[in-house]
Amino acid sequence: PAIDLRPLDVLVVLGVGVVTGLIAAWLPARQASRQDVVAALAGRRPVPRVPRRIPALGAVAVFVGALIAFYGAGPGDPLAIVFGSVVAELGLVAMSPTLVAWVARIGPRLPAVPRLALRDAARSRTRSGPAVAAVMAAVAGAVAVSIFATSQEAADKRGYIPMLPQGMVGVSTLFTGADANDLEQIVATVERELPVEQTSLIQGYVPDEGACQADGCDLMTVVTPPQNECPLERPRPIDTADAAAAANDWRCQGREPYSSIFGDWLVGDADTLEALTGVDDPGARQALESGGVVMFDRASVLNGTATLQMVRYSDEGRAVKGGTSTPDAAQSGESGRPEVLHSVDVPAVWLSEGVRPGAGLLSAEAAAAIGLPVEESGALFETSRMPTQAEEDTTQRQLDLAVTSGSSPYLVVERGYQNDTALALLVLLAVTGVVALGATAIAVGLAAADGRPDLATLAAIGAAPRTRRLLASSQALVIAGLGTLLGIVAGFVPGIAAVRSQTDWSVPFTGVGSPPVLPVVIPWGNLALLLIVVPLLAVVCAALFSRSRLPMVRRLT
């Protein structure tokens, strides 16, 4: 893809970074200037007092921000979602020093080194609080993106429509201009490049440009019987009871979804049907042998019969979605409506399982009865194993070279649903870990500088050299652990709000009421990975990169 660099966006990011850096330098300097000089010279560090109104306002901001974000999720207002999420996260930032002090209350129940780490974090909450907030911000962003991506991926997986049975390979020449010689070259190329066991040529209904006359175009449709029409589509007033009933009526659930590479209407026998769908249905086999049709749309079949029509659409005509029409519209021939040229009733079966490779599969007899122009629209290949991506790419390149009379044929290898978000989420988690480690390392380094008197006291009473590493690891655990936990909580607000603002198009929408919203799927595995790995990495890095030798602050001679 092309690289789109937006200078204004980059300048905004740089401006925010510069302002943040200036504030981060100004606030500690301001606090240092207000310290008591005598206490500073004596080495006494007074515990800063946080006004009670600040954590109270932070809690209110969390509540109000969450309300704004979830309110904006209803109409899908991204500005409200972003604003509410920012307000909620700023509220947690304001509460972080107080939360550090609350966590430090469990210190007396812990051994000496963790107790010192918690006491230091509570006394220096103006240092540990921002570090916790930095870790929280990084983790919150990763959590929000993970929730949204996982929910979207779950909906995509649920709504995935396979083109072919698993492991099958198809090559479509539909609308490519390929002739019989090209199809022979296509078959030979695929059989040479891929582990093909069986080849089937697929015939389909390809509308001919010659079918379009001055007064309209001739196309084939299937009639939807009145008994199978959704009641809401009939011209009558619709009340709440009708809408509620239609929500559970199969006739109002929309057409059966399908994905076709060979055309909407296919022609073949029971073996062709089994190759295309992966299903050997006795009823479908009997219908095809009787000169009928197998439909993948339930509404088109009534009492084992379907009505095929060849209709002419005028320039003002409207083609009905799904290739079906109603008897009244088809018979009228009025301006703006299709005119019936030919109609035939054939045996029909609705196939409810397996892959749906089109709107329906006609027998050769049914195609001839309706006067359907049929031609070979591709080939289907059964392989002994799943082709690799390299084999697929090589085959597509060879097909591009083999076909010279028309455009490139379309190669499909049915691999099932492929999750393409896992790698991106892992990269996101890795970046989050790096940011969290950076914030933790800065806080631990400052704590080591401020805590030299405590370390000297430990040395004076005979503490082992590894005590310094243990203290640094404990401080890293406090900052990274609390920051990660708060980040997970903060990330739920924008993540869930963003998901609830999206429409779930994997569920057929009947047009009744509001469109279905995307269900929230929580990636508990990713959250557990963050909660465990980020603090663990912080602990390990603090232990590895901290000095073991305890410092000496004074020497008495």
Side-chain angles (χ1 to χ4, degrees), residues 188-392:
T189 300
V190 175
E191 290 179 344
R192 183 181 67 250
E193 300 293 338
L194 300 180
V196 176
E197 288 188 337
Q198 184 175 351
T199 302
S200 302
L201 298 181
I202 304 300
Q203 291 184 325
Y205 165 46
V206 181
D208 188 4
E209 294 181 358
C212 292
Q213 310 296 330
D215 53 351
C217 297
D218 299 343
L219 297 173
M220 193 201 82
T221 63
V222 178
V223 174
T224 300
Q227 297 91 325
N228 291 350
E229 290 181 7
C230 176
L232 298 182
E233 297 177 356
R234 298 170 185 170
R236 64 184 180 85
I238 300 175
D239 54 19
T240 305
D242 294 331
N248 299 318
D249 193 335
W250 67 267
R251 297 173 297 178
C252 301
Q253 301 305 313
R255 302 295 182 188
E256 298 293 340
Y258 67 85
S259 180
S260 176
I261 63 173
F262 301 117
D264 291 343
W265 300 105
L266 309 175
V267 178
D269 54 15
D271 294 335
T272 305
L273 178 67
E274 183 178 357
L276 287 168
T277 63
V279 176
D280 183 12
D281 184 86
R285 181 178 292 272
Q286 182 179 359
L288 292 173
E289 292 176 351
S290 302
V293 59
V294 174
M295 296 299 303
F296 304 109
D297 179 14
R298 181 179 180 182
S300 303
V301 180
L302 180 64
N303 299 326
T305 303
T307 301
L308 310 180
Q309 290 183 342
M310 188 65 68
V311 298
R312 175 166 296 170
Y313 289 92
S314 63
D315 292 338
E316 298 83 10
R318 297 190 304 269
V320 182
K321 182 180 179 181
T324 60
S325 64
T326 61
D328 294 339
Q331 295 291 344
S332 65
E334 298 175 1
S335 177
R337 295 180 181 272
E339 175 188 359
V340 176
L341 302 178
H342 185 45
S343 178
V344 60
D345 294 334
V346 296
V349 169
W350 168 57
L351 189 64
S352 60
E353 56 182 341
V355 178
R356 292 172 173 80
L361 178 70
L362 286 74
S363 63
E365 294 81 0
I370 195 62
L372 198 66
V374 176
E375 65 181 55
E376 291 175 340
S377 57
L380 187 65
F381 304 90
E382 182 179 352
T383 57
S384 58
R385 59 170 175 81
M386 180 70 72
T388 65
Q389 186 63 49
E391 290 175 331
E392 180 181 352

Side-chain angles (χ1 to χ4, degrees), residues 474-519:
S474 300
Q475 291 168 335
L477 179 61
V478 171
I479 295 172
L482 184 57
T484 303
L485 185 61
L486 291 178
I488 291 176
V489 175
F492 270 77
V493 175
I496 295 177
V499 171
R500 299 300 292 176
S501 68
Q502 302 297 308
T503 301
D504 186 8
W505 296 116
S506 65
V507 178
F509 179 46
T510 63
V512 181
S514 302
V517 296
L518 202 68

Side-chain angles (χ1 to χ4, degrees), residues 138-226:
V139 173
V143 169
V145 174
S146 297
I147 292 176
F148 184 84
T150 304
S151 301
Q152 185 66 62
E153 189 267 339
D156 293 342
K157 183 178 181 179
R158 184 176 59 250
Y160 176 74
I161 303 174
M163 295 185 179
L164 301 170
Q166 185 82 5
M168 298 289 282
V169 178
V171 177
S172 173
T173 58
L174 195 65
F175 305 120
T176 62
D179 54 22
N181 293 330
D182 289 328
L183 189 56
E184 292 181 2
Q185 292 293 327
I186 289 171
V187 172
T189 300
V190 175
E191 290 179 344
R192 183 181 67 250
E193 300 293 338
L194 300 180
V196 176
E197 288 188 337
Q198 184 175 351
T199 302
S200 302
L201 298 181
I202 304 300
Q203 291 184 325
Y205 165 46
V206 181
D208 188 4
E209 294 181 358
C212 292
Q213 310 296 330
D215 53 351
C217 297
D218 299 343
L219 297 173
M220 193 201 82
T221 63
V222 178
V223 174
T224 300

Side-chain angles (χ1 to χ4, degrees), residues 189 393-404 406-409:
T189 300
D393 295 340
T394 301
T395 304
Q396 182 65 66
R397 288 195 296 269
Q398 295 299 322
L399 289 175
D400 295 341
L401 297 175
V403 178
T404 58
S407 57
S408 176

